Structures are given as structure tokens and as C-alpha cells.
Amino acid sequence: MDIPRLGISPKMLKNEPDAPTQKLNDPDLKMFYFNQNLDHFTFTPKSYMTFQQRYAIDSKHWAGATDNAPILAFLGEESSLDSDLSAIGFLRDNGPRLKALLVYIEHRYYGKTMPFGSAEEALKNASTLGYLNAAQALADYAAILLHVKEKYSTKHSPIIVIGGSYGGMLAAWFRLKYPHIALGALASSAPLLYFEDTRPKFGYYYIVTKVIKGTSERCYNMIRKSWKEIDRVAAKPNGLLILSKQFKTCAPLNGSFDIKDFLSTIYAEAVQYNRGPSYSVTNVCNAIDNNPPNRKKGLLDRIFAGAVALLGNQSCYDTNMFAHPTNNNKAWRWQARKFTLKTMFKPDRTCSEIVMPVGYDKQDTMFPTTPFNMTSYIEGCKTDYGVTPRPHWITTYFGIQDVKLILRKFGSNIIFSNGLSDPYSVGGVLEDISDNLVAIKSNNGSHCQDIVMKSKGDPEWLVMQRDKEIKIIESWISTYQKDLRALNISI
């Protein structure tokens, strides 16, 4: 059983293509490429290799260098820049208010930002993928942001970095690692505490269960019963063929775990990106609960109806979504391997530093109990890549144990925003640490909901949350501008 990747918008079920699905028609947005170093941390001949890193700038509303006007910088995550530009609204929505320069940077190994000349070479094996990690990505962002400041002759324009999900983690870490470059950070839906050394009491699937049960207890009960029914049908002669027809799978099932992975991903995506009306838990549960007037609907018919409600009517449904993974999928699966029911039998091809111990624990009552197993996880990585993941490296390098104690004196100017209906919120910073390390949470919010494009139908709590975030950022900028004047610092 699998979970959605740490993305700002739902892409796993759609198996997002590497090419943009939507062109952003914005004449004010200019694309650039920066000649980036392959390795920022060694001085071997190979480390001086370079690659072209893509970024975009919108200067339409910027007040200019003479006013030390701010820069809002979006730090890309495990997605193409095209997808981010289509989804992210926080910068465009607030750029005019702040009179800010807007900068969007694509993460190395995603979209068109490929070292070694091509995706085929960059994603080939552990030798080339070894340069894909968070520390290198942060150094990339530092180099580009300093380049942008030099390009626009704006030495004292304060930079606010913004990111969501994995990108939210990067934004928080960037502020802590590069405080001389970023004045502050907005870290949206960033599960900074979801690691072995900071593992949350309740896990991802606890929230999935809680949200679905709160939406419809009947739906919850039917999903809970469906796992045994799937196993019962699979055990029949030609049982897997029966299930393949039942769920209109594009390829024959290899085992009952194929369909279980598929369904659990649907429930997780519906909860994580619960943004109605179509892509919502309510839509899935209404389909499962629905009583047809003229015929009796079987349990697995109802479960399949829930899948169709989320994915739409298709000629067939791909239950093995990573049989032909996109380049973005391949890169992310190297960065963040997830333990699944299937990995107990056939390991996923991934492995490095973002090791999140996500499993099905006993309190996750909607799912069969399958706790996270680090031994199985490590063995799968060694089998596929010949490397061992480093489950303690993130907490060692970024130091997020005892976050309240350490950051109270060390950190400043970070907003940690979370929707408590987002399963990843269990690993988020949910309480204020100090006056300028602020946690903003909402009971109903989903994953990264505060930084996506705003719309007329946004609920009042979301409008208020976004307004609170921008007022905090304005206060950081105002204090910074006062400090410039007090110290008599000119441009």
C-alpha cells in the first residue's frame, strides 16, 4: 500500500508527464537558465561540471532596487517548474501588495533541470543520482538568488522563500542554513518532524482514517471490510482475473496487493488533496455509500465506484502506476523511498536521505496493520541501487530534534502552516516556538492549500489564514527596512 508523494498538487494518480500539461500564458513571466555547479561541497575535477538550471522571474510589480523592495522566491520541489507555475498562487496573489520581484526556481533533476546533459544520463544509476539531495538543492537556490540580486543590482532587497510539502521543508531549512540570504520563510505543509528521530505519535494513515470516518462512518466501514473481501476473491480459482475485471485494470493483477495499493492510494490522495467538489473525500464516499434504486450493489462494486468518483470514467485503470515511471517519479523515488505492502515482496527502486517511517499502525483502523519495517526498507535499497539509505542524516544535518528547545534561540522568521486534515500534518510544527517562529493551523485545511491559486469559492478560514501569513511577512520586511535605516545602510 502506497501513499502520495510529497507534492503540492495531486499528481501520483495522474502519473504526471514530464512535459507541462498546461501552458501558463503570462507575458510578464520570463524564463532563464543558470549555469549551476554539479557539486557545491567538494573540489574534485568532477564537482566543477555544470548544468543548466531553469528559473523564472516576474518583475511587473517590483518597486525596484532603490526602494530595497522585497523578493518572493518559490523554491521548487519534486516537480517541473511548469507544474508549479500553474499551481502556485501565493506569489502572484501577493506580489502587487508587497511590490515584490517574483522568482521561481526549478529543483535539480526535475522538469528541464537535468545534470549530465539529459534525463537518461542523470537518472541512470546511483553514481549520477548521488548529486540529488536536499543540501545540494539548497546550495543551488542560494547561488541563483545571489545571482538574481546581482543581476538586478539590489544588494539589500530582503528575500522571503516560499515552499510547499518537500519544498516547504526546503524553505524552512534554507532560512536556517542561509539566514544571510533569506530574511524569512513560509513553509507550507512541511512534515519536518516525520523522521526516525522525530517520529510523530500518530501517523499519516491515522489522519486518513479519521477524515474518512468523520465524512461517513458507513464509507469507513465498507472500506475497512473490503480488504478481506479482496483477499477472499483473490483466493478463488481465477480470482485475480475476477478482480481485474471488477476493477477494469489495464494489466492483469500480480496479486491482491496490487489492487490494495491502488485503492489505498486513492483514499490517501482524496484526503491529502481534499479540495472539492470533484477531488474530495465527500465525492469518494458518496459514490461508495450510494444506493442504486433498481439493483443490489456489492461491496467491491461500491469500492470501485469510489475509485471512479476520484479518477473519472476511464477505459481501464492503471494499478501499477510506476511500471513506466516518468522522469519526475524516478527522481523522487531516489530521494524518498516509501515503505509499502508491495515492498515486502518486491522493493521499490529508490533510496537516499528522506526516509519517512510511514506504515499502517494498529491505530490506523481502516487499513490492515502493516507497520513500517526499516530492515525491509534498507534491504530493498541495497538490492536496487547497491546503496544503504541514511535514515538519521536529515536530523543530523538539519538538527530538528527538540525543535522547540533549539529553534527558540537559534531560529527566527519562519511560518509553519498546516491543515490538520492533511495526513502529513502529523509531522508538522503545530505550535508556536517563539514570537517569530509561528505555527498557523486550520482544522479543515488540506495539503498546501494556503499557497495554491486562490478562487472566489475559498472558505473564509482560508482567506483569513492567507491574510495572516502575508501580514506576518510584511512585519518582517518592515522591521528589516527599519534596521537598514537605523544602521544607515544605503544601496
Side-chain angles (χ1 to χ4, degrees):
M1 299 175 184
D2 207 357
I3 62 176
R5 73 186 195 202
L6 272 167
I8 289 173
S9 54
K11 296 165 185 170
M12 178 177 273
L13 290 178
K14 296 175 182 177
N15 210 23
E16 173 205 17
D18 299 310
T21 55
Q22 177 182 348
K23 286 282 187 182
L24 188 72
N25 185 21
D26 188 344
D28 299 313
L29 203 62
K30 308 298 181 187
M31 290 287 184
F32 299 95
Y33 284 89
F34 179 74
N35 203 36
Q36 189 65 267
N37 285 336
L38 175 66
D39 184 1
H40 297 281
F41 304 109
T42 64
F43 294 88
T44 62
K46 192 172 184 178
S47 71
Y48 289 92
M49 289 177 61
T50 60
F51 62 95
Q52 295 295 293
Q53 184 162 11
R54 190 164 56 144
Y55 68 100
I57 289 181
D58 181 348
S59 60
K60 181 179 180 180
H61 299 286
W62 189 45
T66 54
D67 287 343
N68 295 320
I71 298 170
L72 296 183
F74 178 79
L75 306 186
E77 75 304 338
E78 74 284 16
S79 185
S80 70
L81 181 59
D82 307 281
S83 296
D84 288 335
L85 290 170
S86 297
I88 301 302
F90 190 89
L91 283 75
R92 282 199 295 276
D93 293 338
N94 294 293
R97 174 170 171 171
L98 297 177
K99 298 179 180 178
L101 183 73
L102 309 183
V103 182
Y104 304 81
I105 311 175
E106 189 168 64
H107 195 296
R108 59 167 58 197
Y109 287 79
Y110 293 98
K112 294 184 179 180
T113 300
M114 286 292 170
F116 301 102
S118 69
E120 184 179 4
E121 285 297 312
L123 306 172
K124 186 166 59 176
N125 55 40
S127 295
T128 52
L129 281 165
Y131 298 96
L132 171 55
N133 57 63
Q136 296 282 10
L138 294 181
D140 290 343
Y141 297 146
I144 287 178
L145 289 173
L146 289 178
H147 167 73
V148 168
K149 292 189 83 170
E150 182 179 4
K151 181 177 181 176
Y152 285 86
S153 303
T154 178
K155 183 177 180 181
H156 295 301
S157 284
I159 296 175
I160 307 298
V161 292
I162 295 116
S165 200
Y166 164 55
M169 297 160 76
L170 293 174
W173 293 334
F174 191 91
R175 167 60 184 162
L176 295 173
K177 288 290 182 182
Y178 296 94
H180 58 292
I181 297 177
L183 174 67
L186 169 57
S188 175
S189 297
L192 291 153
L193 308 180
Y194 214 143
F195 294 93
E196 273 293 286
D197 305 308
T198 52
R199 189 171 187 171
K201 180 179 179 181
F202 297 111
Y204 182 101
Y205 284 100
Y206 174 84
I207 300 295
V208 175
T209 295
K210 181 180 177 182
V211 171
I212 288 179
K213 190 174 184 180
T215 301
S216 166
E217 190 144 356
R218 185 183 184 195
C219 177
Y220 154 80
N221 283 323
M222 281 192 276
I223 292 171
R224 191 179 181 189
K225 292 174 183 176
S226 69
W227 311 117
K228 285 185 178 180
E229 179 64 9
I230 288 169
D231 286 336
R232 185 189 71 79
V233 175
K236 291 181 177 182
N238 295 320
L240 292 179
L241 181 59
I242 294 170
L243 285 174
S244 292
K245 290 181 178 178
Q246 173 85 55
F247 288 94
K248 293 175 64 178
T249 66
C250 296
L253 298 173
N254 294 314
S256 63
F257 52 76
D258 278 348
I259 202 67
K260 288 178 180 180
D261 277 0
F262 174 68
L263 292 170
S264 63
T265 303
I266 284 172
Y267 306 138
E269 281 244 349
V271 173
Q272 184 169 322
Y273 303 103
N274 194 9
R275 302 170 193 160
S278 58
Y279 215 91
S280 69
V281 177
T282 299
N283 196 34
V284 171
C285 279
N286 282 346
I288 292 174
D289 291 345
N290 183 40
N291 284 312
N294 300 322
R295 66 181 182 88
K296 186 176 180 180
K297 203 172 186 180
L299 176 58
L300 295 188
D301 289 326
R302 293 178 178 277
I303 295 299
F304 178 58
V308 173
L310 192 75
L311 300 179
N313 284 302
Q314 299 179 19
S315 58
C316 68
Y317 295 87
D318 187 2
T319 56
N320 192 5
M321 291 167 288
F322 292 123
H324 305 287
T326 66
N327 292 332
N328 287 344
N329 295 149
K330 292 175 185 177
W332 181 240
R333 290 166 68 190
W334 162 264
Q335 279 194 275
R337 185 176 200 273
K338 296 184 177 72
F339 173 76
T340 73
L341 183 63
K342 194 180 295 185
T343 64
M344 298 172 67
F345 307 100
K346 182 181 178 182
D348 282 344
R349 296 183 298 168
T350 52
C351 304
S352 60
E353 59 181 356
I354 303 178
V355 181
M356 292 189 169
V358 178
Y360 300 85
D361 298 314
K362 60 183 179 181
Q363 67 264 31
D364 304 329
T365 54
M366 196 178 79
F367 300 91
T369 301
T370 313
F372 178 81
N373 187 312
M374 183 63 78
T375 302
S376 171
Y377 186 103
I378 290 173
E379 286 305 313
C381 291
K382 288 166 68 176
T383 298
D384 284 349
Y385 280 116
V387 298
T388 301
R390 300 176 183 175
H392 303 286
W393 176 243
I394 288 290
T395 51
T396 299
Y397 187 72
F398 293 109
I400 53 178
Q401 305 97 318
D402 299 318
V403 64
K404 289 184 181 178
L405 176 64
I406 302 303
L407 291 192
R408 184 179 298 275
K409 297 296 184 182
F410 169 67
S412 64
N413 291 4
I414 303 175
I415 300 169
F416 304 98
S417 66
N418 284 279
L420 299 183
S421 292
D422 170 17
Y424 275 121
S425 68
V426 297
V429 177
L430 302 179
E431 296 179 3
D432 291 352
I433 297 172
S434 66
D435 289 343
N436 51 23
L437 291 169
V438 182
I440 299 177
K441 55 185 185 287
S442 56
N443 289 329
N444 299 319
S446 64
H447 201 59
C448 300
Q449 197 169 0
D450 56 327
I451 64 170
V452 300
M453 300 289 288
K454 68 179 181 180
S455 67
K456 292 180 180 179
D458 286 337
E460 185 179 358
W461 63 262
L462 180 57
V463 174
M464 292 176 65
Q465 178 179 340
R466 287 170 173 157
D467 188 56
K468 184 175 182 180
E469 290 169 356
I470 200 62
K471 283 179 177 176
I472 292 171
I473 290 171
E474 284 178 324
S475 73
W476 297 341
I477 295 170
S478 175
T479 299
Y480 173 84
Q481 302 286 13
K482 288 177 183 176
D483 289 342
L484 283 180
R485 291 192 292 271
L487 294 171
N488 197 28
I489 296 176
S490 64
I491 63 168

